[in-house]
């Protein structure tokens, strides 16, 4: 690398005379120093230690292998769930009766909590809590909503099969589907507006 002993030593935190003694064979190089040299300059640790193999490591290959290993480790902790665009009258009791428009990855913990499908938020009705483009993960729900805690975010299906994200609010014993944005009027569950999912978590879309 055309470095002097002083320049070489500076990069690994050693004095030039220490490097001089190593090169002259007057002092044994500690194993920790060999690993530091390997990591700093991309020189094979095995070559430094035993004189075996190639001197220079293929850094790109090593970095790629490390990245692939970390990616595999991350993916093992995730589960793929469908993004549902529309849902037929049989959903959620008939999972096949849904229009899958994509997939998102969620943690195994979220999946175990019941998060089985996701819906992408459209429009500004749930702002400032949820924005256009955010994803909400839901567990499937069948019922009239009376057993859902007040204030939970839910997804409802209208008679066209369209999915709408709302907040379930209980007022004087009645269930009302409200928007966090006060510009949008509340709705009431009906035969044409059925609750099919209760929110588990949101996946926020952040512009950088």
């Amino acid at each position: 690398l055309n470095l002097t002993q002083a320049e070489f030593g500076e990069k690994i935190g050693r004095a030039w005379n220490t490097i001089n003694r190593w090169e002259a064979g007057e002092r044994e190089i500690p194993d920790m120093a060999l690993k530091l040299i390997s990591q700093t300059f991309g020189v094979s640790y095995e070559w430094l230690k035993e004189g075996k193999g190639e001197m220079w490591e293929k850094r790109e290959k090593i970095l790629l292998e490390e990245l692939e290993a970390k990616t595999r480790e991350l993916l093992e902790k995730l589960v793929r769930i469908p993004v549902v665009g529309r849902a037929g009258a049989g959903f959620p009791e008939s999972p096949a009766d849904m229009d899958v428009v994509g997939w998102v990855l969620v943690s195994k913990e979220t999946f175990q909590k019941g998060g089985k499908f996701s819906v992408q938020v459209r429009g500004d009705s749930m702002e400032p809590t949820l924005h256009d483009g955010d994803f909400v993960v839901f567990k499937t729900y069948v019922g009239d909503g009376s057993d859902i805690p007040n204030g939970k975010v839910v997804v409802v299906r209208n008679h066209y099969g369209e999915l709408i994200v709302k907040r379930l609010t209980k007022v004087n014993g009645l269930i009302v589907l409200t928007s966090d944005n006060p510009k949008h009027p509340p709705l009431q569950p009906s035969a044409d507006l059925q609750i099919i999912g209760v929110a588990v978590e949101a996946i926020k879309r952040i512009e950088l």
Side-chain angles (χ1 to χ4, degrees):
L1 298 176
N2 296 317
L3 299 175
T4 65
Q5 291 178 338
E7 291 168 338
F8 183 88
E10 184 179 357
K11 290 183 178 295
I12 61 171
R14 299 293 191 277
W16 73 268
N17 54 348
T18 299
I19 307 301
N20 182 276
R21 292 190 182 99
W22 287 351
E23 290 188 353
E26 297 175 3
R27 181 177 295 177
E28 185 177 352
I29 306 177
D31 194 64
M32 183 176 65
L34 292 176
K35 292 179 180 178
L36 184 59
I37 292 170
S38 172
Q39 294 169 359
T40 303
F41 298 103
V43 178
S44 165
Y45 170 76
E46 185 181 21
W47 183 86
L48 287 169
K49 181 82 172 175
E50 307 289 345
K52 298 177 181 177
E54 298 292 330
M55 179 173 71
W56 298 105
E57 290 184 336
K58 295 179 180 179
R59 298 299 296 171
E60 293 83 0
K61 180 181 178 182
I62 291 172
L63 290 173
L64 182 60
E65 289 174 349
E66 290 177 352
L67 178 61
E68 289 175 345
K70 290 179 180 178
T71 302
R72 285 194 300 270
E73 182 181 354
L74 177 62
L75 289 175
E76 287 174 358
K77 299 177 181 178
L78 300 174
V79 178
R80 190 179 75 155
I81 64 171
V83 178
V84 180
R86 301 173 72 90
F91 185 81
E93 293 178 305
S94 299
D97 195 12
M98 65 181 182
D99 177 26
V100 176
V101 296
W103 302 86
V104 292
L105 293 171
V106 299
S107 67
K108 287 186 176 179
E109 289 79 7
T110 296
F111 188 77
Q112 289 166 355
K113 289 177 183 177
K116 298 297 190 295
F117 72 100
S118 177
V119 173
Q120 189 168 24
V121 176
R122 297 297 183 189
D124 64 352
S125 68
M126 291 301 289
E127 290 185 355
T129 310
L130 299 167
H131 298 278
D132 184 66
D134 290 345
F135 292 90
V136 183
V137 177
F138 292 95
K139 57 183 177 182
T140 58
Y141 176 81
V142 178
D144 61 3
S146 59
D147 56 338
I148 299 175
N150 184 42
K152 287 292 289 184
V153 172
V154 297
V155 61
V156 297
R157 178 189 62 223
N158 65 19
H159 61 283
Y160 297 111
E162 297 168 334
L163 302 181
I164 309 165
V165 178
K166 293 293 179 183
R167 190 177 297 280
L168 185 143
T169 306
K170 296 182 179 180
V171 181
N172 297 325
L174 296 176
I175 293 175
V176 181
L177 302 171
T178 62
S179 301
D180 288 4
N181 187 339
K183 292 192 303 182
H184 294 263
L187 305 170
Q188 284 190 323
S190 64
D192 293 331
L193 205 60
Q194 182 184 2
I195 301 170
I196 61 169
V198 179
V200 175
E201 69 177 30
I203 303 173
K204 305 289 287 182
R205 182 177 64 86
I206 301 175
E207 293 185 4
L208 301 176

